[in-house]
């Protein structure tokens, strides 16, 4: 608290002075809010803690609003900057408090001055459980300081002067043995041995009668020394005390320290000035190279003035093979503090007890760097509340009570850029911003890696940043590049890896096999060959030692460089390949289950391997959610299988084929096209002609959806020829149906209808009712497009009947096609009912593009029903979805429907604008709908000319 104009008192009634004048601070509850903030000594106090302190369990309904009012009034009285908001709480940021001053004076041995600050009962006038508890604690603190003052006076020869005061205190606090002991010692040194013995006798009787206990060993020992007239007991200290040693052990601060401001603020707030009732501990955890030690040393230097009795620092060697034992560290610390170190003893806690006693009246900051675990740290914690401890460790210190955890992650892009510029030079980085960003990305934003490449660049002024970036481009050489002098990222990672037992080291290597940037618990279990419960234990153990990250529950990831390190560790190739195969099996089982739920009755092509145990889903929504969560992993797995010789290529194709049904591929089709392309190339290279035909059908479907008809034709023709040669009738039917769709979109509808019919016959012969229904639906659309309406209705009704007879419930794709045909057949009411059901189905399946197409058809149907207002709503909704999903054919058709609706509503200007925008899309994509739009624009132009001519005639 830095404002010298503000002064607070809580060692009595809560009072405030501002620039020497006392300030009115309101009601008792408002003063209690201030007291809670003062007792936190600058640290943030959460809303819940404040609410509990003021109202306990009987909070009024408007408690939070009232709390904000109290804080607002206090800010008005103290100054706007006196109380700041931090997260979901407040902190007092200004002023001096008598409690803090009392603690400082007491720690400096100025006990009389410290006690003089008490002005009666602390927090006087404040009520409630919190206030009572704090009053009792502060009262205990006053007695502790009083004990230290009286002990000091007795020790320095003032025993005679304190006998009366001690006699009174023993009467007030008869069970407080420290007062009794001081009175016995003072009486003995004053030559009143019998009275000293009498004090012990009375105390022993009182304890036995009231509490049923004996005096403490310390008091009993003092009694024995008094009755035996121990000559050393009567010697008061007459010489000045030996000055205390003040250790200053912090390593030098890093001159170019950059960033980490949120973490610094959090740690300083937690550790500044210690805590009144409990030891303040801040533990920084994170993977190797995150800058834990650098941050801790930097914060320790900031805090050093708050701990005038010194700063202790030790590297505990927790990441090495021989971490320091607590006994060794305690001996070092005791020597640094000027205390005599007890010899090795059978009692393991003796040094720890002496360490705590030595720090009992000091304000010391203890930095325990590179800790192995909480067990190594626990004996090194001071017992004094005025001290503070910082711990750094790769493992989280979850075993320490009251610890404030700071999980250190990679630097933000701005922090990383600033660090690079600080070391290399602002001008060099500014001149190559893009290369610098790429270099930082190659470093994974890891502070140690950035510092290493920056140091190498600084030592080589002739090198460009781009050259360093290019040297880092090859992942196989990247760790070798991240080395300078005694700094090396690989060596840092190795320290953590070498701490793992064989099982966790194996898991660390295996989990790096998948290429995906993160992975689910289910995927981890598959890779490790464990059930999910055991896999979670393994993954969480790796997270605890910062060898793995968990960005959200049951999801895990590596830091980029740590993944490269994991992959660089030697492992049996068969073991690695088996892990990838188990992952493929997991995805295949899950996607098969999802496909059965979302497309009931549809057969899964090429059974291949039997689906193993995988995730199960309560409903289709859960299935689609799982597929969405695993989408990146599925696509990455497909790419890996394509690159892996001897892998189950047909299973990977099957997986991508099902994913294309379950997931919405239209939003980011390029990823699926690249994956399918990798499978096509791999199958061709291996001579797996049946697999190549399947992969080309999958990719051809993606080309068709994007209206890339030349590419689609090439794949469809190749798939047709390959499947025919291989005798794969199911794939042959797929290729014919796709080729028919390409022909239909090119206007060759008669040829398309014939191919659709051929595909349907093949599917019917194979007993594939789902394929048969889909082919019939496509054929019906083609028939309707050339005004063969009666045939189209007959075919689409057959498609509906086929779906029902297959036992698969309803197929939204077939229902969509039947609605389009019925609208063309002059049955818009029936069409609208089906479109509404179709939209619900697509929304449930999270198929935004298909929902957008359905909304477009609903707009067209409303136009057919003479409802242009509703058509506008549906067309606008369709365009809204397509703004995200990006299907240009649907966008163009929705704009046509919107233009037509506006024209019918008497808003020709907006209508023409919509049609013009649609024409631009269709012309750019070379779609046949462009001619239709031109005709509509010509019609509207003629209509507008006729209207203007009539108006002119009427005017004349």
């Amino acid at each position: 608290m830095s404002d010298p104009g503000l002064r607070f008192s809580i060692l009595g009634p809560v009072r405030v002075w501002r620039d020497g004048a006392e300030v009115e601070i309101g009601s008792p509850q408002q003063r209690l809010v201030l007291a809670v903030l003062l007792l936190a000594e600058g640290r943030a106090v959460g809303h819940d803690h404040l609410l509990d302190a003021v109202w306990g369990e009987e909070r009024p309904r408007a408690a939070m609003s009232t709390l904000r009012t109290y804080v607002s009034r206090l800010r008005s009285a103290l100054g706007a900057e006196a109380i700041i908001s931090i997260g979901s709480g407040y902190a007092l940021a200004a002023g001096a408090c008598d409690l803090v001053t009392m603690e400082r004076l007491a720690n400096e041995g100025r006990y009389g001055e410290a006690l003089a600050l008490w002005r009666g009962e602390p927090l006087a006038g404040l009520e409630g459980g919190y206030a009572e508890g704090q009053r009792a604690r502060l009262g205990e603190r006053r007695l502790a300081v009083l004990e230290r003052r009286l002990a000091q006076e007795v020790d320095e020869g003032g025993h005679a002067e304190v006998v009366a005061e001690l006699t009174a205190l023993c009467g007030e606090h008869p069970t407080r043995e420290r007062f009794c002991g001081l009175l016995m010692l003072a009486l003995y040194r004053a030559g009143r041995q019998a009275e000293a013995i009498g004090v012990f006798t009375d105390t022993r009787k009182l304890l036995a009668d009231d509490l049923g206990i004996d005096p403490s060993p310390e008091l009993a020992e003092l009694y024995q020394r008094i009755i035996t007239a121990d000559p050393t007991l009567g010697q008061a200290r007459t010489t000045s005390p030996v000055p205390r040693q003040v250790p200053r052990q912090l390593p030098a601060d890093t001159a170019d320290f950059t960033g980490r401001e949120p973490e610094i603020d959090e740690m300083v707030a937690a550790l500044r000035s210690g805590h009144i009732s409990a030891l303040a501990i801040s533990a920084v955890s994170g993977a190797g190279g995150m800058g834990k030690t650098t941050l801790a040393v930097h914060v320790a230097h900031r805090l050093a003035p708050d701990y005038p009795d010194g700063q202790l620092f030790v590297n505990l060697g927790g990441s090495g093979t021989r971490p320091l034992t607590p006994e060794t560290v305690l001996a070092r610390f005791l020597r640094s503090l000027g205390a005599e170190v007890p010899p090795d003893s059978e009692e393991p806690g003796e040094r720890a007890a002496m360490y705590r006693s030595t720090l009992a009246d000091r304000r010391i900051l203890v930095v325990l760097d590179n800790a192995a675990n909480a067990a190594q740290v626990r004996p090194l914690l001071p017992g004094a509340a005025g001290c503070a401890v910082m711990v750094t460790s790769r493992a989280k210190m979850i075993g320490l009570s009251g610890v404030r955890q700071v999980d250190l992650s990679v630097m933000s892009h701005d922090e990383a850029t600033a660090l690079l510029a600080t070391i290399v030079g602002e001008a060099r980085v500014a001149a190559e911003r893009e290369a610098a960003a790429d270099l930082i990305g190659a470093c994974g934003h890891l502070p140690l890696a950035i510092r290493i490449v920056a140091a190498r660049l600084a030592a080589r002024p002739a090198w460009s940043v781009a050259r360093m970036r290019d040297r880092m481009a090859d992942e196989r050489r990247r760790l070798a590049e991240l080395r300078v002098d005694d700094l090396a990222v690989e060596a840092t990672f190795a320290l953590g890896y070498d701490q793992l037992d064989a099982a966790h080291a194996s898991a660390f290597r295996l989990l790096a096999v998948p290429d995906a940037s993160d992975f689910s618990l289910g995927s981890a279990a598959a890779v490790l060959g464990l059930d999910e419960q055991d896999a979670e234990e393994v993954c969480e153990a790796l997270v605890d030692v910062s060898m793995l990250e968990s960005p959200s529950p049951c999801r895990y990831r590596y830091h980029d460089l740590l993944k490269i390190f994991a992959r660089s560790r030697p492992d049996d190739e068969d073991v690695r390949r088996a892990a990838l195969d188990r992952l493929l099996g997991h995805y295949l089982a899950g996607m098969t289950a999802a496909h059965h739920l979302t497309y009931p009755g549809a057969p899964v092509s090429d059974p291949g391997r039997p689906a193993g145990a995988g995730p199960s889903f309560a409903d289709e929504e859960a299935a689609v959610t799982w597929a969405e969560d695993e989408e990146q992993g599925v696509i990455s797995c497909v790419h890996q299988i394509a690159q892996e010789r001897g892998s189950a290529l047909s299973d990977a194709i099957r997986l991508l084929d099902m994913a294309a049904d379950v997931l919405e591929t239209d939003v980011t089709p390029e990823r699926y096209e690249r994956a399918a392309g990798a499978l096509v190339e791999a199958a061709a290279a291996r001579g797996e002609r049946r697999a190549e035909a399947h992969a080309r059908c999958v990719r051809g479907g993606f080309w068709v959806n994007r209206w890339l008809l030349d590419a689609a034709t090439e794949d469809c023709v190749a798939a047709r020829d390959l499947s025919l040669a291989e005798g794969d009738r199911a794939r042959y039917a797929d290729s014919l149906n796709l080729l028919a769709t390409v022909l239909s979109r090119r206007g060759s509808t008669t040829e398309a209808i014939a191919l659709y019919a051929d595909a349907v016959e093949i599917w019917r012969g194979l007993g594939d009712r789902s394929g048969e229904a889909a082919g019939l639906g496509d054929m019906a659309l083609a028939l309707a497009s050339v005004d063969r309406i009666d045939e189209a209705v007959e075919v689409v009704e057959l498609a509906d009947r086929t779906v029902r007879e297959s036992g698969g419930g309803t197929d939204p794709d077939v229902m969509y096609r039947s609605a389009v045909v019925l609208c063309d057949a002059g049955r818009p009411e029936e069409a609208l009912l089906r479109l509404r059901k179709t939209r619900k189905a697509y929304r449930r399946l999270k198929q935004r593009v298909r929902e957008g197409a359905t909304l477009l058809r609903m707009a067209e149907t409303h136009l057919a029903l003479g409802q242009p207002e509703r058509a506008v709503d549906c067309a606008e909704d369709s365009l809204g979805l397509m703004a995200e999903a990006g299907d240009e054919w649907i966008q163009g058709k929705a704009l046509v429907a919107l233009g037509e609706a506006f024209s019918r509503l008497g808003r020709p200007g907006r209508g023409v604008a919509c049609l013009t925008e649609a024409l631009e899309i269709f012309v750019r994509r070379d779609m046949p709908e462009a001619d239709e739009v031109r005709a509509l624009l010509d019609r509207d132009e003629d209509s507008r000319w006729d209207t203007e001519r009539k108006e002119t005639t009427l005017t004349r």
Side-chain angles (χ1 to χ4, degrees):
M1 300 183 210
S2 56
D3 186 352
L6 277 176
R7 186 162 57 86
F8 302 96
S9 174
I10 57 176
L11 302 179
V14 179
R15 302 172 68 186
V16 181
W17 292 265
R18 187 174 184 182
D19 298 327
E22 187 164 2
V23 176
E24 173 57 43
I25 50 173
S27 67
Q29 286 185 322
Q30 190 166 300
R31 281 185 284 136
L32 182 52
V33 171
L34 177 60
V36 176
L37 296 176
L38 285 166
L39 288 166
E41 295 189 28
R43 288 183 295 278
V45 181
H47 293 153
D48 284 341
H49 183 69
L50 283 163
L51 294 169
D52 286 341
V54 177
W55 288 286
E57 297 181 356
E58 299 180 355
R59 297 184 192 177
R61 292 182 62 182
M64 192 63 229
S65 175
T66 305
L67 176 62
R68 292 193 182 100
T69 300
Y70 289 157
V71 171
S72 176
R73 290 173 181 171
L74 286 170
R75 283 172 172 160
S76 298
L78 308 178
E81 303 301 320
I83 299 177
I84 60 174
S85 296
I86 299 179
S88 59
Y90 303 103
L92 198 60
C97 181
D98 58 357
L99 177 60
V100 175
T101 305
M102 186 276 294
E103 291 285 358
R104 178 177 56 79
L105 291 171
N107 287 325
E108 292 172 0
R110 297 157 64 182
Y111 305 120
E113 295 176 63
L115 291 167
L117 294 175
W118 290 79
R119 305 177 186 279
E121 182 182 58
L123 307 180
L126 301 186
E127 299 178 355
Y130 175 84
E132 288 297 334
Q134 293 298 319
R135 244 191 306 276
R137 184 176 63 81
L138 292 173
E140 181 65 26
R141 187 72 185 119
R142 177 182 175 279
L143 291 176
V145 175
L146 184 56
E147 286 175 352
R148 287 157 67 181
R149 177 184 70 78
L150 292 166
Q152 183 183 59
E153 292 192 32
V154 171
D155 199 33
E156 293 178 354
H159 41 267
E161 289 80 5
V162 299
V163 167
E165 186 176 359
L166 281 168
T167 300
L169 287 168
C170 285
E172 294 175 22
H173 307 282
T175 60
R176 199 172 185 95
E177 295 185 44
R178 181 64 171 148
F179 283 147
C180 296
L182 286 171
L183 178 56
M184 289 165 60
L185 183 58
L187 288 169
Y188 179 75
R189 287 182 177 174
R192 300 158 66 177
Q193 184 183 19
E195 291 178 66
I197 294 171
V199 170
F200 179 79
T201 302
D202 292 344
T203 301
R204 180 171 58 189
K205 184 176 184 303
L206 177 79
L207 292 173
D209 292 346
D210 290 359
L211 304 177
I213 60 174
D214 294 326
S216 65
E218 291 82 6
L219 195 64
E221 181 187 358
L222 177 61
Y223 168 70
Q224 287 296 322
R225 294 175 68 188
I226 288 174
I227 63 174
T228 58
D230 183 342
T232 63
L233 196 60
Q235 297 174 359
R237 190 175 71 203
T238 56
T239 58
S240 300
V242 177
R244 287 177 170 177
Q245 287 184 216
V246 179
R248 306 289 188 191
Q249 297 182 348
L250 295 179
D253 197 2
T254 304
D256 51 18
F257 187 92
T258 305
R260 303 296 197 193
E261 288 304 322
E263 292 85 357
I264 292 170
D265 291 344
E266 180 181 348
M267 294 171 70
V268 168
L271 299 174
R272 174 151 279 159
S273 299
H275 196 282
I276 295 171
S277 62
L279 178 69
I281 309 172
S282 182
V284 184
S285 62
M290 288 295 175
K292 300 180 293 294
T293 300
T294 303
L295 173 64
V297 169
H298 183 73
V299 171
H301 277 282
R302 280 201 187 187
L303 290 169
D306 293 279
Y307 295 92
D309 294 331
Q311 302 87 43
L312 295 169
F313 180 93
V314 65
N315 180 352
L316 294 173
S319 60
T321 57
R322 298 178 63 184
L324 296 179
T325 65
E327 291 291 307
T328 299
V329 178
L330 287 167
R332 291 185 187 180
F333 281 175
L334 287 168
R335 281 192 291 270
S336 299
L337 294 164
E340 183 179 348
V341 181
D344 290 340
S345 168
E346 293 183 0
E347 173 53 54
E350 186 174 351
R351 285 182 180 175
M354 177 170 281
Y355 169 67
R356 291 192 294 271
S357 297
T358 304
L359 295 182
D361 58 352
R362 302 193 192 192
R363 298 186 70 78
I364 295 277
L365 177 63
V366 182
V367 182
L368 305 175
D369 185 42
N370 193 14
N373 48 46
Q376 186 188 28
V377 168
R378 203 172 286 112
L380 307 179
L381 299 178
C387 296
V389 178
M390 261 194 289
V391 184
T392 72
S393 176
R394 298 185 184 213
K396 300 180 190 299
M397 293 288 109
I398 53 180
L400 297 180
S401 61
V403 67
R404 294 284 293 273
Q405 295 280 358
V406 178
D407 294 327
L408 205 57
S409 186
V410 296
M411 286 182 142
S412 68
H413 179 74
D414 289 344
E415 288 178 328
T417 304
L419 176 59
L420 184 67
T422 301
I423 301 172
V424 174
E426 291 280 357
R428 289 175 75 181
V429 172
E432 297 183 81
R433 285 286 180 191
E434 185 175 344
D438 293 341
L439 179 60
I440 289 167
C443 291
H445 293 75
L446 187 75
L448 176 61
I450 296 166
R451 187 170 290 281
I452 288 172
V453 296
R456 294 186 65 187
L457 282 170
R460 296 165 176 80
W463 277 22
S464 66
V465 177
R467 180 174 182 181
M468 189 73 241
R469 174 203 61 194
D470 294 342
R471 292 176 68 93
M472 293 275 286
D474 187 349
E475 282 191 3
R476 294 168 297 181
R477 294 184 52 219
R478 192 170 298 172
L479 291 178
E481 292 289 340
L482 292 172
R483 185 189 310 272
V484 63
D485 294 335
D486 62 341
L487 296 178
V489 168
E490 186 171 15
T492 299
F493 289 162
L495 289 172
Y497 176 74
D498 291 342
Q499 296 293 303
L500 301 175
D501 60 30
H504 288 94
S506 175
F508 174 73
R509 297 191 303 271
L510 282 178
L511 290 170
V513 168
D515 281 342
S517 59
D518 70 345
F519 51 90
S520 67
L521 176 58
S523 300
V527 169
L528 297 176
L530 301 172
D531 61 38
E532 288 198 7
Q533 183 174 350
D534 290 340
E536 185 173 23
E537 289 183 8
V538 171
C539 290
E540 290 298 327
L542 291 173
V543 170
D544 286 342
V545 294
S546 300
M547 298 300 283
L548 202 61
E549 300 173 7
S550 180
S552 61
C554 296
R555 290 205 74 85
Y556 302 95
R557 69 185 178 201
Y558 287 88
H559 181 272
D560 292 346
L561 295 178
L562 200 54
K563 188 168 189 173
I564 293 173
F565 172 82
R567 288 179 162 185
S568 73
R569 301 299 92 180
D571 216 338
D572 185 272
E573 184 62 25
D574 290 339
V575 172
R576 193 191 69 80
R577 188 171 294 163
L580 184 59
D581 190 64
R582 287 194 298 272
L583 179 64
L584 174 61
H586 167 72
Y587 285 143
L588 202 55
M591 201 62 75
T592 300
H595 196 274
H596 284 322
L597 274 171
T598 52
Y599 292 93
V604 177
S605 59
D606 295 341
R609 75 171 82 191
S616 58
F617 311 111
D619 51 35
E620 58 188 16
E621 184 178 357
V624 173
T625 299
W626 174 87
E628 286 179 331
D629 291 343
E630 299 291 4
E631 182 178 23
Q632 184 199 34
V634 165
I635 293 175
S636 294
C637 182
V638 166
H639 275 286
Q640 280 188 271
I641 295 296
Q643 296 161 10
E644 193 81 28
R645 288 213 166 269
S647 60
L649 194 62
S650 60
D651 284 335
I653 299 169
R654 189 169 145 235
L655 173 62
L656 189 67
D657 195 359
M658 287 190 292
D661 284 339
V662 175
L663 291 161
E664 185 175 39
T665 61
D666 310 86
V667 178
T668 53
E670 296 85 359
R671 292 190 302 162
Y672 286 86
E673 288 161 11
R674 285 194 294 270
L679 293 171
V680 168
E681 291 175 9
R686 299 181 198 180
E688 296 185 27
R689 295 163 62 83
R690 184 179 287 253
E692 183 185 349
H694 191 177
R696 285 187 179 275
C697 277
V698 173
R699 186 170 66 175
F702 298 145
W703 296 138
V704 167
N705 289 342
R706 293 182 65 200
W707 286 76
L708 299 173
L709 302 183
D710 289 341
T713 300
E714 181 181 345
D715 269 338
C716 291
V717 170
R720 180 196 62 189
D721 296 343
L722 285 166
S723 58
L724 185 61
E726 291 295 309
D728 186 348
R729 290 174 58 76
R731 202 66 54 221
Y732 183 59
D734 288 344
S735 64
L736 292 181
N737 200 75
L738 274 172
L739 196 54
T741 302
V742 173
L743 291 169
S744 178
R745 292 192 175 185
R746 282 183 160 158
S748 302
T749 312
T750 302
E751 295 175 65
I753 292 169
L755 286 179
Y756 281 134
D758 290 343
V760 167
E761 282 303 314
I762 295 172
W763 276 319
R764 187 174 291 143
L766 293 171
D768 182 352
R769 306 304 299 276
S770 177
E772 180 185 351
L776 288 169
D778 290 336
M779 184 165 61
L781 287 181
L783 288 165
S785 70
V786 291
D787 294 329
R788 293 164 63 179
I789 300 299
D790 292 341
E791 292 176 77
V793 171
E794 182 181 348
V795 169
V796 84
E797 287 177 347
L798 177 58
D800 282 337
R801 195 160 56 249
T802 302
V803 170
R804 289 195 301 273
E805 291 172 355
S806 69
T810 59
D811 183 330
D813 292 345
V814 172
M815 191 156 48
Y816 168 84
R817 285 158 173 74
S818 69
V820 174
V821 170
L822 287 174
C823 188
D824 289 345
R827 295 158 63 181
E829 293 88 353
E830 295 175 66
L832 195 58
L833 288 174
R834 296 194 182 197
L835 286 170
R836 285 171 178 158
K837 291 179 182 177
T838 303
R839 184 190 179 190
K840 287 181 181 179
Y842 284 145
R843 178 174 287 183
R844 192 169 60 250
L845 294 171
K846 301 182 181 180
Q847 296 279 356
R848 288 177 297 171
V849 171
R850 295 179 187 183
E851 183 186 354
T854 306
L855 283 163
L856 151 68
R857 297 299 189 179
M858 289 173 70
E860 292 175 344
T861 307
H862 280 300
L863 287 172
L865 288 166
Q867 299 167 345
E869 298 92 345
R870 293 185 179 180
V872 167
D873 292 340
C874 290
E876 292 281 14
D877 287 345
S878 177
L879 288 169
L881 284 172
M882 291 308 98
E884 300 175 8
D887 187 298
E888 289 191 302
W889 181 84
I890 297 174
Q891 283 180 306
K893 291 288 285 183
L895 284 166
V896 171
L898 192 60
E900 182 70 12
F902 280 137
S903 178
R904 295 188 189 183
L905 289 169
R907 298 158 70 181
R910 286 201 63 182
V912 168
C914 290
L915 291 173
T916 302
E917 189 177 347
L919 181 61
E920 291 173 358
I921 292 173
F922 292 140
V923 169
R924 184 176 70 251
R925 296 301 308 274
D926 192 25
M927 293 177 177
E929 285 78 6
D931 291 338
E932 173 196 348
V933 178
R934 287 192 185 97
L936 290 172
L937 283 169
D938 290 342
R939 180 205 66 187
D940 286 354
E941 180 64 25
D942 291 343
S943 175
R944 188 167 62 84
W945 173 252
D946 288 343
T947 300
E948 289 178 358
R949 187 175 56 189
K950 288 176 183 177
E951 289 176 351
T952 302
T953 302
L954 287 171
T955 302
R956 288 176 180 171

